[in-house]
Amino acid sequence: MVVISKDIVKEHGLSEEEYKSILGCLGREPNLLELGIFSVMWSEHCSYKSSRMYLKEFPTEGPHIIQGPGENAGVVDIGGGMAVVFKMESHNHPSYIEPYQGAATGVGGILRDVFTMGARPVAILNSLRFGNLDETKTRFLLKGVVAGIAGYGNCMGVPTVGGEVYFHPSYSGNCLVNAMCVGLVNKKKIFMGKAAGVGNPLLYVGSSTGRDGIHGATMASDVFGEGGEERRPTVQVGDPFTEKLLLEACLEAFKAGEYIIGIQDMGAAGLTSSSVEMADRGGVGVEIDLSAVPTREEGMTPYEIMLSESQERMLIVAKEGRVGDIERIFRKWGLKAQVVGRVIEEPSLRLISKGKEVANIPIHSLTSKAPVYKRPVKRPDYIDRANKLETGSVSLPGDMNAILLKLLSSPNIANKKWIYRQYDHMVRTSTVVLPGSDAAVIRIQGTNKAIAMTVDCNSRYCYLDPFAGGMSAVAEAARNLAATGARPLAITDCLNFGNPERPEIMWQFREAVRGMKQACIALETPVVSGNVSFYNETSGEAVYPTPSVGMVGLIEDISHITTQWFKNDGDVIALIGETREELGGSEYLSLIHGIEDGPPPSIDIIREKAVIDTCLDAIRSGIILSAHDCSEGGLAVALAKACISFEDGLGAEMEIEEDIRTDAMLFGESHSRIIVSLKEDKLKILNEIASNHSVPIEVIGRVKKNRFKINRCIDLPVESLRSVWTETLGKNLNGRETV
C-alpha cells in the first residue's frame, strides 16, 4: 500500500491546505486511488475553484433559455418544437504538446457534449491563437492543429463552418485551441447528465479504456516550463470513426425515449467526473465494479481506470429492464455496452475491484465541498502606462495605399482560406453561408428558419482594458450575427487566462467577466454554457487575456440571410453608426507603428444595441443587399473586404466626411459600426429605421467596378487588394519549413 507523502500530494497538484480538507471530508487518510480522484475533481479544470465566484454573476436565464450552465451544454428554444444546443471548450495545453491529437480530441469532446444532450451536431466552429507566424514552432503548431480539427470533424460528417485565427507573440509558448459545437434537438427529446432511480444500472458504452490521458485534467490546470514534451502521455488519442458510431448509437437509443435515464460524456477526468457529476445532479450515489470496465491494455489498475481520459466513451444510467435493448442497439453499431455498476441511495462514490472495496468517497466532498478561492486581485502596472498614449503623438503616414495593402496582408486580417479549405463545410448540405462572411449560417431542414453562429474576441483590447475587451467580445459577436440577419439568442464562452494565483491575472479575469456580464444583459444574450482555462502561460509569460465568445442567433425567414460582399454596380454604401478618433489597440497601430498601447475603442453598449436593432430591422424590411461589421483594420479594411470577399467582387468609390485624423477615419476600430449596401431608392426607409433607434447614418459611397477609392487618400485596383488579402497566409505556410 502506498503511503501518502507530501511529495505525492504535491505531484497530484494539491496544496497542503487542500490535503487537510480531504482529511476532513473523509475523516481518515485517503488511499492513492482516492487521492487521485480528489486531485482531478478539485483541479481548476473540473472544479472552477478560482473562477466560480465570478461566473455566478453571469446572466443565465431568459424566456427562451431551456438549459443554462451546469449541464453538458446549453439549450435555447428556437420555436416550432425545436431547440439549439451549443457549447465551447478549450484544449489548449494538449494542442501545444501534441497539436494533431490535442485539437482532434478537443473537437471530439465538444461533439460528445452536444450529442449527449440528445442533439444531432450540425456545425463546428473554432477560436485559435498562435505565436508569431515567422516562427518555425508556430507554423508546426498551426498545421498540426488545423489538420487535427479537419481530421476529426470531416470524418464525423459534421461541417466546420466558422471560426477565427489570430497571431501574437504572447501565444508563442501556449497556443489556444477552443472548439465550439452547435446541435439541433426536438425540445421534448432533451437528455440530461443525471443519475436517478436506486438500483438502476450504469452502462459503460463506446471505446475501451486505455492509459492515454491519465491526469489530463490536472495537466490542464498547471503552467508550462520550457518544452512540455514530457507531458505527451497525458494527451488523449482520438478515433473519429468510433465516435461517429457512438453518435449514431446514442441518437438511436434516445429515439426510443424510455431506455435512458441520464447520460454523460467521459471527458476531462474520464469515468471519475462522469459518474460523480451524474450522481451529484441526482442527489444519489453510484457503485462501480472496476473489474467490469472494458480495458484495452493488460493489468490496468483501478487508479488508471478511473483517471484515464480515453476518448469516445459514455456513461449511461439505464432504466431497469432496458439494458438488453440498449446493448442490442450498441452491438448493431459495433460498440461495447457493458453494465459496470448501479445507482445507490447513499450519496457516495463506491468503487469495487475484484470483489473488494477500493474507494468510498462522499459525492458532495468532490463537488460542492471542493475549494472555492477568492484570489487576490491587483490592477497591473502596465494599464496606466498603456492608457497614457495620446493619438496626437502618433505620426501620420503619407502613403495610405501602402498602409491598406500591408493591413490586408497581416495574418490577423488576411483571408483564412488556407485553413478553412481543409474543413468540410458542406457535409449534410445545410450550410447556407460558408466560411468567409461575418457569421456562418445553417438552414434548419424542414423549416424556413436558419441559425447563425460566430466566435469572437479581440485579445489586444482585453489586454489593454479587460472590462472593455470583455464587453466588446460579446458586442462584436452580436454585430456579426445581426449583419447576417440573425437575432442574437445566447452565448457560450471559453475564458482563457494565465495563472490565477497571480493577482494581476485574476484582476484581468474579474474585469473581463464584468464587461461580458454587462454586454450580455444589455444585448439580452444570456450565458448558457462555457469553460474556463487558466494557467495558459510558459515560464511566467501569460497569454493575452482571451475571453472567446461563441454566439448563436436565429433567422426566422431564410430570405433575410445577408452576406458581407457588395452585390451590384451602382448600389449605395452607407455606414450605420459613427467613426470616432480612436487608434488605441488597433491592428494599424500595432502593425504600422509597432505600438500596442492606448485605450481600446470605447463602447457604449446601449448604442451598440441600437445599431444592431437598426441593422436587423433594415434587413427584415428587405432593403439591405449586404451588411458587414467593422472590426480589425477599421473602415477601410471592412470596405475592402466587402469588395473582395466573393469571387465576383466589385470595387467601390467613397467620399467620407473627414472631420478626424485620416488614419483614424480609415483604420481606427470604433465599435458599433456596420457597413450596408442598398438601392438608392431605399435610403429613405433606412433613414427612417435609423431615426427610430436614434442611430446616425452616413452615405459614404457607391459600389463601382474595378477600382477601390476613398476620398483622395486611397486609390487601388481591386485585384491588388484581392491578391494580398487572399494569398498572404498561404505563402507564409506553403513550402515553409516546420519542425
Side-chain angles (χ1 to χ4, degrees):
M1 182 177 178
V2 177
V3 176
I4 306 300
S5 65
K6 287 185 178 180
D7 287 343
I8 289 176
V9 171
K10 186 176 180 181
E11 287 171 5
H12 281 75
L14 294 162
S15 68
E16 289 185 22
E17 286 302 313
E18 287 172 342
Y19 184 66
K20 289 178 183 177
S21 297
I22 291 170
L23 296 178
C25 289
L26 294 178
R28 57 176 173 81
E29 288 195 354
N31 59 37
L32 185 62
L33 171 59
E34 291 169 331
L35 184 72
I37 289 170
F38 271 102
S39 76
V40 293
M41 292 305 298
W42 284 15
S43 69
E44 194 72 60
H45 191 75
C46 291
S47 73
Y48 296 88
K49 57 191 175 185
S50 298
S51 58
R52 205 184 310 172
M53 64 174 290
Y54 298 109
L55 298 179
K56 66 183 181 183
E57 299 298 320
F58 276 143
T60 59
E61 297 179 346
H64 52 291
I65 305 302
I66 296 173
Q67 177 64 55
E71 265 290 342
N72 289 294
V75 187
V76 177
D77 193 337
I78 55 173
M82 295 294 293
V84 61
V85 179
F86 59 104
K87 173 93 174 279
M88 181 160 60
E89 283 208 344
S90 63
H91 234 222
N92 302 336
H93 285 180
S95 298
Y96 185 79
I97 297 167
E98 175 48 62
Y100 184 93
Q101 290 295 348
T105 52
V107 172
I110 202 65
L111 283 164
R112 291 194 301 278
D113 281 339
V114 166
F115 74 73
T116 297
M117 302 293 292
R120 178 172 290 279
V122 296
I124 300 167
L125 299 91
N126 50 71
S127 175
L128 311 177
R129 299 291 190 284
F130 299 97
N132 192 316
L133 193 55
D134 291 334
E135 297 174 1
T136 302
K137 179 73 171 182
T138 295
R139 296 193 297 276
F140 166 73
L141 291 171
L142 173 61
K143 290 182 176 182
V145 164
V146 170
I149 292 169
Y152 211 101
N154 294 355
C155 291
M156 282 291 296
V158 179
T160 300
V161 297
E164 58 170 9
V165 187
Y166 288 94
F167 301 88
H168 188 273
S170 77
Y171 304 104
S172 290
N174 197 128
C175 61
L176 301 184
V177 177
N178 297 171
M180 177 179 171
C181 181
V182 179
L184 290 170
V185 66
N186 182 318
K187 68 179 186 179
K188 293 182 179 179
K189 299 285 187 179
I190 298 168
F191 284 78
M192 304 294 185
K194 180 178 178 179
V198 173
N200 278 332
L202 296 179
L203 264 74
Y204 173 116
V205 300
S207 295
S208 297
T209 296
R211 290 190 170 98
D212 55 320
I214 292 174
H215 272 298
T218 309
M219 176 269 290
S221 305
D222 196 7
V223 293
F224 282 172
E226 291 297 327
E229 290 79 6
E230 74 283 355
R231 297 176 185 256
R232 189 165 281 124
T234 62
V235 179
Q236 311 94 326
V237 177
D239 178 358
F241 298 105
T242 297
E243 178 130 331
K244 173 62 173 173
L245 298 174
L246 184 63
L247 162 65
E248 299 300 340
C250 286
L251 293 181
E252 184 174 333
F254 293 152
K255 282 182 181 178
E258 54 186 24
Y259 297 168
I260 295 174
I261 300 289
I263 181 169
Q264 179 88 1
D265 163 41
M266 293 190 208
L271 186 54
T272 292
S273 63
S274 57
S275 57
V276 168
E277 289 172 5
M278 290 181 81
D280 183 57
R281 294 187 190 116
V284 294
V286 290
E287 180 182 276
I288 300 174
D289 181 0
L290 299 179
S291 304
V293 173
T295 58
R296 62 171 179 258
E297 299 184 43
E298 292 290 328
M300 289 191 68
T301 65
Y303 183 99
E304 292 171 327
I305 292 170
M306 286 302 293
L307 300 189
S308 167
E309 294 185 9
S310 294
Q311 296 290 285
E312 295 87 39
R313 303 178 301 158
M314 297 280 197
L315 190 64
I316 290 174
V317 177
K319 283 189 178 181
E320 188 72 52
R322 291 298 189 178
V323 170
D325 297 305
I326 296 172
E327 288 177 336
R328 174 179 48 77
I329 291 171
F330 279 83
R331 274 199 308 272
K332 168 188 167 183
W333 291 97
L335 297 172
K336 297 180 178 69
Q338 175 70 41
V339 176
V340 296
R342 62 191 179 94
V343 177
I344 60 176
E345 184 174 0
E346 178 190 358
S348 295
L349 173 65
R350 185 168 184 259
L351 303 178
I352 310 296
S353 181
K354 298 177 181 177
K356 294 183 179 180
E357 182 177 281
V358 292
N360 196 324
I361 306 173
I363 293 292
H364 70 272
S365 69
L366 298 169
T367 54
S368 59
K369 292 294 184 181
V372 176
Y373 294 127
K374 185 177 182 180
R375 303 279 192 191
V377 296
K378 180 178 181 289
R379 191 172 188 265
D381 294 336
Y382 75 80
I383 295 287
D384 291 328
R385 184 205 72 238
N387 282 272
K388 286 180 180 177
L389 179 75
E390 295 182 1
T391 303
S393 66
V394 179
S395 60
L396 190 66
D399 187 350
M400 295 302 179
N401 284 332
I403 301 299
L404 177 58
L405 291 173
K406 190 168 183 179
L407 281 169
L408 286 171
S409 68
S410 162
N412 292 333
I413 290 175
N415 182 277
K416 306 302 190 295
K417 189 174 182 179
W418 183 92
I419 293 172
Y420 66 70
R421 72 181 180 187
Q422 300 181 51
Y423 306 147
D424 188 339
H425 38 262
M426 285 299 293
V427 65
R428 300 191 64 80
T429 67
S430 294
T431 311
V432 181
V433 178
L434 308 180
S437 196
D438 283 312
V441 180
I442 296 285
R443 181 171 182 171
I444 304 172
Q445 293 186 0
T447 76
N448 200 40
K449 297 180 180 180
I451 49 174
M453 300 147 279
T454 186
V455 288
D456 289 288
C457 179
N458 186 310
S459 53
R460 191 182 290 127
Y461 298 167
C462 295
Y463 174 75
L464 294 170
D465 184 340
F467 176 81
M471 186 178 287
S472 70
V474 177
E476 185 179 351
R479 271 200 311 278
N480 280 329
L481 294 185
T484 311
R487 173 172 59 91
L489 294 176
I491 77 164
T492 183
D493 60 54
C494 201
L495 311 179
N496 307 272
F497 289 79
N499 186 345
E501 297 164 47
R502 294 168 54 193
E504 293 84 358
I505 299 296
M506 278 313 299
W507 183 85
Q508 290 177 337
F509 182 85
R510 184 193 71 183
E511 292 302 294
V513 168
R514 216 165 52 85
M516 291 173 65
K517 170 190 172 182
Q518 288 202 15
C520 287
I521 291 171
L523 300 178
E524 300 174 349
T525 53
V527 180
V528 296
S529 59
N531 170 237
V532 176
S533 177
F534 278 132
Y535 297 98
N536 290 291
E537 59 180 67
T538 298
S539 302
E541 293 295 320
V543 301
Y544 269 12
T546 312
S548 300
V549 170
M551 187 179 286
V552 171
L554 179 65
I555 300 172
E556 294 279 3
D557 184 339
I558 59 172
S559 68
H560 296 154
I561 295 171
T562 310
T563 50
Q564 70 183 35
W565 44 86
F566 295 141
K567 303 300 187 297
N568 309 296
D569 186 20
D571 288 345
V572 171
I573 303 167
L575 176 67
I576 303 174
E578 58 187 327
T579 303
R580 295 175 290 276
E581 191 163 285
E582 298 173 308
L583 290 176
S586 65
E587 187 73 11
Y588 160 76
L589 203 60
S590 174
L591 186 69
I592 306 302
H593 296 279
I595 298 172
E596 292 214 338
D597 289 343
S602 60
I603 180 165
D604 178 342
I605 201 64
I606 303 303
R607 169 59 63 86
E608 185 74 56
K609 180 72 162 60
V611 167
I612 287 169
D613 288 344
T614 298
C615 182
L616 283 173
D617 286 353
I619 288 172
R620 289 167 186 160
S621 74
I623 65 171
I624 301 299
L625 299 173
S626 73
H628 184 28
D629 161 46
C630 289
S631 55
E632 288 85 356
L635 184 60
V637 165
L639 286 163
K641 287 167 66 177
C643 290
I644 60 181
S645 56
F646 192 66
E647 290 179 3
D648 297 326
L650 293 160
E653 187 171 325
M654 272 73 61
E655 284 294 334
I656 303 173
E657 185 176 340
E658 200 167 341
D659 54 359
I660 57 176
R661 284 175 56 122
T662 302
D663 54 354
M665 180 267 290
L666 293 172
F667 311 120
E669 296 175 5
S670 295
H671 289 301
S672 313
R673 294 182 299 166
I674 298 175
I675 297 165
V676 296
S677 66
L678 65 165
K679 297 296 183 186
E680 187 170 10
D681 61 2
K682 305 298 183 185
L683 273 173
K684 181 180 178 182
I685 300 172
L686 178 61
N687 281 311
E688 288 173 354
I689 292 171
S691 177
N692 290 338
H693 293 288
S694 301
V695 168
I697 292 284
E698 180 185 357
V699 175
I700 59 174
R702 286 183 183 273
V703 179
K704 298 282 188 180
K705 291 183 177 179
N706 302 324
R707 296 198 71 82
F708 182 80
K709 298 181 181 181
I710 301 180
N711 298 358
R712 295 183 179 180
C713 49
I714 289 179
D715 186 352
L716 289 163
V718 169
E719 279 309 307
S720 66
L721 303 176
R722 184 194 300 280
S723 62
V724 297
W725 183 67
T726 58
E727 297 173 12
T728 299
L729 193 61
K731 285 181 178 178
N732 271 281
L733 290 166
N734 290 329
R736 295 288 290 269
E737 179 183 322
T738 58
V739 295

